[in-house]
Amino acid sequence: MARLWTPHRMVYIGGQDKPADSSVAQCPFCRIPAGDDVDGLLVARGTTCYVVLNLYPYNSAHLMVLPYRHVSDYPDLTPEETLELAELTQTAMQVVRQLYAPAGFNLGMNQGEVAGAGIAAHLHQHVVPRWLGDANFLPVVGRTKSLPELLADTRERLAAAWPAA
C-alpha cells in the first residue's frame, strides 16, 4: 500500500483556520468571495461558483471550485451550480496545464467529515495537479513540503491566464 504523507498540513489538522461551527458566519468559503480576490487567493469568479487556491495545498496550483451558496451535499446543488462547477473545473485543468504542465490531476470532493472533508459544511471540488515524483523524499524524511512558488504568485499567474468570461 502506498501512502501520501503531507506533514505540512498538520497546522490545519490541528485546527488552525478551521471554522468553529458549520454556520455561514464561520465559513471561510462564504467569506472569501465577499473580500479581496488577492487576499482570498480567489482565482476566478463565475455566476454561481468560484475558483480559489487551497491555502494548505497538496501541490502547487492546488485549486478548489466551490458554489457561492453555503451548501454541503453534492445532490443539493442546483442544475446551474452543477454545470458551472464542472465547467470551472475543466477550465482550471486547462489553465494549470498551460502554466504548469502537470502529468495528471486528482479531482474530487470529500463529502462529510468522515470522508475527509476539512470544511464539510461547504462543498468544494479539489483540482490537484500531479507530476511524476511530486511526492518525493522531502515530506517523508524532512517533514517538509516543497512548494516552488508562493501562493500569491501562483494566484497571480492563474488569474492572469484565466480566460475572460
Side-chain angles (χ1 to χ4, degrees), residues 8 10 14 31 34 39 45 49 55-57 64 70 85 87 90 111-113 117 124 135 142 145 151 156 158:
H8 66 286
M10 280 306 293
R31 283 195 305 272
D39 292 340
R45 292 174 180 269
C49 297
L55 186 59
Y56 300 99
M64 294 183 296
H70 189 76
L85 188 114
E87 290 172 345
Q90 289 175 328
Q111 289 280 266
E113 189 174 340
H124 48 287
K145 179 71 175 178
L151 288 176
E156 185 177 330
L158 291 166

Side-chain angles (χ1 to χ4, degrees), residues 12-27:
Y12 180 73
I13 291 167
Q16 180 175 316
D17 298 330
K18 281 195 177 179
D21 59 48
S22 63
S23 69
V24 171
Q26 290 291 314
C27 181

Side-chain angles (χ1 to χ4, degrees), residues 133-155:
D134 63 13
N136 63 20
F137 71 93
L138 197 55
V140 176
V141 175
R143 296 186 54 83
T144 302
K145 179 71 175 178
S146 175
L147 297 171
E149 185 174 59
L150 295 173
L151 288 176
D153 295 341
T154 303
R155 186 236 158 250

Side-chain angles (χ1 to χ4, degrees), residues 85-164:
L85 188 114
E87 290 172 345
L88 288 173
T89 298
Q90 289 175 328
T91 302
M93 290 176 66
Q94 292 164 345
V95 171
V96 171
R97 276 191 180 122
Q98 172 191 337
L99 295 176
Y100 293 92
F105 287 88
N106 288 121
L107 301 177
M109 294 179 207
N110 300 322
Q111 289 280 266
E113 189 174 340
V114 71
I119 300 176
H122 198 128
L123 177 139
H124 48 287
Q125 162 102 346
H126 291 270
V127 180
V128 183
R130 300 300 306 270
W131 295 266
L132 294 174
D134 63 13
N136 63 20
F137 71 93
L138 197 55
V140 176
V141 175
R143 296 186 54 83
T144 302
K145 179 71 175 178
S146 175
L147 297 171
E149 185 174 59
L150 295 173
L151 288 176
D153 295 341
T154 303
R155 186 236 158 250
E156 185 177 330
R157 286 182 70 193
L158 291 166
W162 203 270

